[in-house]
Amino acid sequence: GAGVSQSPSNKVTEKGKDVELRCDPISGHTALYWYRQSLGQGLEFLIYFQGNSAPDKSGLPSDRFSAERTGGSVSTLTIQRTQQEDSAVYLCASSFSREGPQHFGDGTRLSIL
Amino acid sequence: AQKITQTQPGMFVQEKEAVTLDCTYDTSDQSYGLFWYKQPSSGEMIFLIYQGSYDEQNATEGRYSLNFQKARKSANLVISASQLGDSAMYFCAMRPRDDKIIFGKGTRLHILP
């Protein structure tokens, strides 16, 4: 499809394991955002990529969280040594430019047992 | 500091009535964008409407309009002739000129039959 694609849609893992979440933005979109959303809550900003600029990592909650964006396209969010409080929906969004509206993926629902 | 405030955590409105969802923002930038998103219970984030800070007319998209009052720094969303399908979480967002987009905490709208 032409939208933002996230995988997996659901992930259940044991505490202490590492997880990788993938985001495939809309082709040609230069901006890419990762957010975390707990049940019934608002969006918590994690990280922002804009073109070839250094990413804005100011929202990452701890050094267990990291993200990459390869070739200005696909992004991977990695959470190491997962904790139960990491359980949430992780949303990815992209936009054509810094100014444009964001288009969101359907999210990855992460559950840490 | 950049800030978005949505003061209504929840609202109940009778079907077919008009709804106004409040949003105020704070920024020192002269150029910025304002957005509204809808998040139904299914979880996807749907872009509704955009207003640029230099746009002289209020943005409209179908039943959605944005009541932009620049001097008061408010960007309220108006939904005309509400429908049961409008029940959802609504997020206001602002993108300052040289910074990442930020979201409000959201307003949960319930449309009553």
Side-chain angles (χ1 to χ4, degrees), chain B residues 8-29:
Chain B
Q8 306 151 311
M11 286 185 71
F12 290 83
V13 173
Q14 207 66 41
E15 189 181 8
K16 298 181 185 176
E17 290 184 353
V19 182
T20 297
L21 304 180
D22 295 342
C23 175
T24 58
Y25 59 91
D26 192 12
T27 180
S28 55
D29 288 359

Side-chain angles (χ1 to χ4, degrees), chain B residues 68-88:
Chain B
F68 180 45
Q69 298 187 38
K70 193 170 183 176
R72 298 179 60 185
K73 292 189 175 177
S74 77
N76 298 342
L77 178 70
V78 180
I79 307 174
S80 63
S82 59
Q83 303 172 355
L84 295 178
D86 295 333
S87 294

Side-chain angles (χ1 to χ4, degrees), chain B residues 57-77:
Chain B
Q57 296 202 347
N58 287 342
T60 60
E61 289 288 346
R63 292 186 301 111
Y64 304 109
S65 61
L66 200 152
N67 184 2
F68 180 45
Q69 298 187 38
K70 193 170 183 176
R72 298 179 60 185
K73 292 189 175 177
S74 77
N76 298 342
L77 178 70

Side-chain angles (χ1 to χ4, degrees), chain A residues 66-98:
Chain A
S66 62
E68 290 185 339
R69 188 178 185 192
T70 53
S73 181
V74 172
S75 177
T76 302
L77 177 69
T78 301
I79 309 173
Q80 296 178 309
R81 305 180 302 281
T82 53
Q83 304 292 315
Q84 286 187 329
E85 61 262 28
D86 299 336
S87 296
V89 175
Y90 289 80
L91 290 164
C92 175
S94 70
S95 63
F96 179 71
S97 65
R98 187 198 298 272

Side-chain angles (χ1 to χ4, degrees), chain A residues 8-15 17 19 108-113:
Chain A
S9 54
N10 284 282
K11 177 72 176 179
V12 180
T13 193
E14 293 180 347
K15 176 182 171 181
K17 301 285 190 184
V19 294
T108 293
R109 183 174 300 279
L110 177 64
S111 301
I112 309 299
L113 303 178

Side-chain angles (χ1 to χ4, degrees), chain B residues 4-113:
Chain B
I4 286 274
T5 303
Q6 294 182 253
T7 57
Q8 306 151 311
M11 286 185 71
F12 290 83
V13 173
Q14 207 66 41
E15 189 181 8
K16 298 181 185 176
E17 290 184 353
V19 182
T20 297
L21 304 180
D22 295 342
C23 175
T24 58
Y25 59 91
D26 192 12
T27 180
S28 55
D29 288 359
Q30 296 302 307
S31 176
Y32 49 88
L34 296 157
F35 306 83
W36 277 92
Y37 290 85
K38 173 184 179 180
Q39 188 177 40
S41 56
S42 52
E44 71 268 34
M45 289 281 285
I46 303 166
F47 165 69
L48 294 179
I49 196 166
Y50 166 80
Q51 178 87 40
S53 60
Y54 289 115
D55 293 343
E56 293 186 353
Q57 296 202 347
N58 287 342
T60 60
E61 289 288 346
R63 292 186 301 111
Y64 304 109
S65 61
L66 200 152
N67 184 2
F68 180 45
Q69 298 187 38
K70 193 170 183 176
R72 298 179 60 185
K73 292 189 175 177
S74 77
N76 298 342
L77 178 70
V78 180
I79 307 174
S80 63
S82 59
Q83 303 172 355
L84 295 178
D86 295 333
S87 294
M89 193 76 159
Y90 288 81
F91 292 98
C92 179
M94 176 184 65
R95 180 202 43 78
R97 176 179 172 80
D98 294 316
D99 204 347
K100 60 186 175 291
I101 192 168
I102 57 173
F103 283 81
K105 293 189 183 300
T107 295
R108 186 167 297 281
L109 176 64
H110 303 268
I111 305 299
L112 304 172

